Amino acid sequence: MKLTILSLILMTAFVVGCEDAEPDTKDFPFLITLDPTNIDETGATFRGELNKEGMSPVTSYGFIWTTHDLDPVVTHKVIIGEDVTPGTFETRIDSLLLGGISYEIRAFATYSDKTVYGNAVILYSQGSEKYPWGFATNVKLNYNNLDNTFGSTDGTNGYVISQNRTAYLYDTEKNTFSSIDPFPTTGNTGVDFASATKNGIQYFIMSTSKNLYKMDNLKWSVQSIIPCSGPHWDYLGFSCADDIYFLNTVEFYGYNPETDSWKNNTMLPQDFYPAVGGTCLNKKVYTVTKAHAVWEYSIELNSWKKIAVYPGKINDKLISFTYNDQVYFGLSYHRFMYGSSGPIDNKMWSYDPLTDKWTGYPDFPNTITSEDGFFFFFIKDKLFFGNYHGDYSIWTFNPARK
């Protein structure tokens, strides 16, 4: 009999405990954030559940996602609808997700001008198809924040070279760096580099030498002597048609590797404003000066004409490249040798020479300083750029994702 009474007491307690575990009907709804699914390079599916309705009607619901890996902290929000019934809900997020970044996701609902959130779940993002920015890796390189670093490419791999001669190869497939033979000449704190690539062979010049250096199969040599009046600063390098070109404040040289011949081309009519970025598209050179003027150079006519005005901010230099019959300029960065410092500009622009139209991309979502520990290269339809911040953070920009 005692056992029966004790059993009844325990059963009663168990039933009461189960009833208390259910959420009471409150003024606010009770939400659960579920793990995201279908995570790939195109985005992720966010999922939530309305476990119990509140006494006040829901006026909107959706998700927020936050990352603490960026400076400043970034939070995005998507509203799915205005009314929600008990059960699960989801939405596909195909934008505003950086690849290689962790996000904290929460479901939310608003009621009576108030907001209630579900629990937080973690998403390790692989990117999103409508967002061009991504994070590649953090890596330790044998540089410091005062070393002037420079990026180049042979069309397959990226390369990072420093004034202290140290050089690295960046494998875009493996996302790894490996040390290679050092650059032939040591530079000083303010040394400047430029490079151009032809048929997978890289050609380099530096501001403190008249040599044209060549890297072929990871081996360095002196290819030629630049017929300039002396070493100069601010060189830009690019290949165009049959030649490679080097442009700076006072000179514009073309070099043909097959014939080992130089040509002194018509100088940029810059009005005392130096070129800060340049690239080649369809046998024409496009460059931007510090005065925001966009100039077009015709190889066939050996002449320049001013065609547009760059709409973005200019610090000391601009990242520049071509993709799908567009020229790209942006992420203007500082150089310590010019006595300036600070974060890069977070804008990237494409320009269509046929329509004379500029198109802006979503802002780069992080704050990074540039000064001298900064490099970039464009490989396989993707821009890679890095900066020194205790180690090197390597970021990406995919112009196909808008």
Side-chain angles (χ1 to χ4, degrees), residues 56-98:
S56 298
V58 170
T59 54
S60 68
Y61 70 101
F63 297 94
I64 64 168
W65 58 104
T66 302
T67 178
H68 297 275
D69 294 339
L70 303 178
D71 179 20
V73 173
V74 174
T75 297
H76 298 291
K77 177 179 180 180
V78 61
I79 297 176
I80 299 176
E82 298 179 352
D83 186 24
V84 60
T85 57
T88 60
F89 54 90
E90 64 180 41
T91 188
R92 182 69 178 172
I93 303 298
D94 60 5
S95 183
L96 299 176
L97 286 175
L98 272 167

Side-chain angles (χ1 to χ4, degrees), residues 243-247 250-255 262-268 297-299 302-304:
D243 297 342
I244 60 175
Y245 290 85
F246 296 102
L247 169 69
V250 296
E251 295 164 331
F252 183 31
Y253 284 101
Y255 175 75
W262 291 89
K263 180 182 178 181
N264 193 356
N265 300 298
T266 301
M267 191 174 70
L268 172 67
Y297 172 79
S298 169
I299 294 177
N302 188 27
S303 63
W304 292 91

Side-chain angles (χ1 to χ4, degrees), residues 280-298:
C280 175
L281 176 65
N282 299 328
K283 296 184 178 182
K284 292 183 178 180
V285 173
Y286 295 89
T287 187
V288 177
T289 70
K290 195 70 179 283
H292 293 249
V294 181
W295 291 85
E296 179 187 82
Y297 172 79
S298 169

Side-chain angles (χ1 to χ4, degrees), residues 196-390:
T197 301
K198 193 69 179 176
N199 298 324
I201 300 175
Q202 299 181 83
Y203 300 88
F204 295 80
I205 62 174
M206 63 186 302
S207 55
T208 55
S209 172
K210 295 177 67 173
N211 290 334
L212 175 68
Y213 297 97
K214 179 175 76 171
M215 180 198 278
D216 188 11
N217 291 321
L218 301 183
K219 298 299 181 183
W220 295 99
S221 63
V222 176
Q223 170 74 12
S224 183
I225 303 298
I226 307 170
C228 58
S229 56
H232 293 290
W233 308 95
D234 296 330
Y235 273 115
L236 303 172
F238 36 81
S239 61
C240 203
D242 297 327
D243 297 342
I244 60 175
Y245 290 85
F246 296 102
L247 169 69
N248 77 347
T249 307
V250 296
E251 295 164 331
F252 183 31
Y253 284 101
Y255 175 75
N256 188 303
E258 299 296 326
T259 61
D260 188 26
S261 58
W262 291 89
K263 180 182 178 181
N264 193 356
N265 300 298
T266 301
M267 191 174 70
L268 172 67
Q270 57 190 295
D271 297 330
F272 302 105
Y273 289 99
V276 295
T279 187
C280 175
L281 176 65
N282 299 328
K283 296 184 178 182
K284 292 183 178 180
V285 173
Y286 295 89
T287 187
V288 177
T289 70
K290 195 70 179 283
H292 293 249
V294 181
W295 291 85
E296 179 187 82
Y297 172 79
S298 169
I299 294 177
E300 296 177 350
L301 301 176
N302 188 27
S303 63
W304 292 91
K305 66 175 180 179
K306 184 178 178 181
I307 60 170
V309 175
Y310 176 64
K313 178 182 177 180
I314 295 178
N315 294 314
D316 295 323
K317 293 281 191 177
L318 283 172
I319 287 179
S320 50
F321 60 92
T322 60
Y323 175 77
N324 277 4
D325 291 328
Q326 308 273 309
V327 291
Y328 286 76
F329 297 101
L331 299 182
S332 185
Y333 56 99
H334 296 267
R335 289 311 234 181
F336 180 76
M337 62 185 179
Y338 300 141
S340 64
S341 63
I344 65 170
D345 180 46
N346 61 0
K347 300 285 188 181
M348 178 61 75
W349 300 86
S350 67
Y351 176 71
D352 187 337
L354 296 180
T355 62
D356 188 31
K357 179 182 178 182
W358 292 95
T359 301
Y361 279 77
D363 290 357
F364 175 59
N366 198 31
T367 299
I368 63 174
T369 58
S370 49
E371 298 186 0
D372 285 338
F374 186 77
F375 59 85
F376 66 92
F377 34 77
F378 189 77
I379 309 174
K380 300 175 182 177
D381 303 335
K382 185 182 291 186
L383 173 71
F384 296 81
F385 59 101
N387 73 297
Y388 182 86
H389 190 68

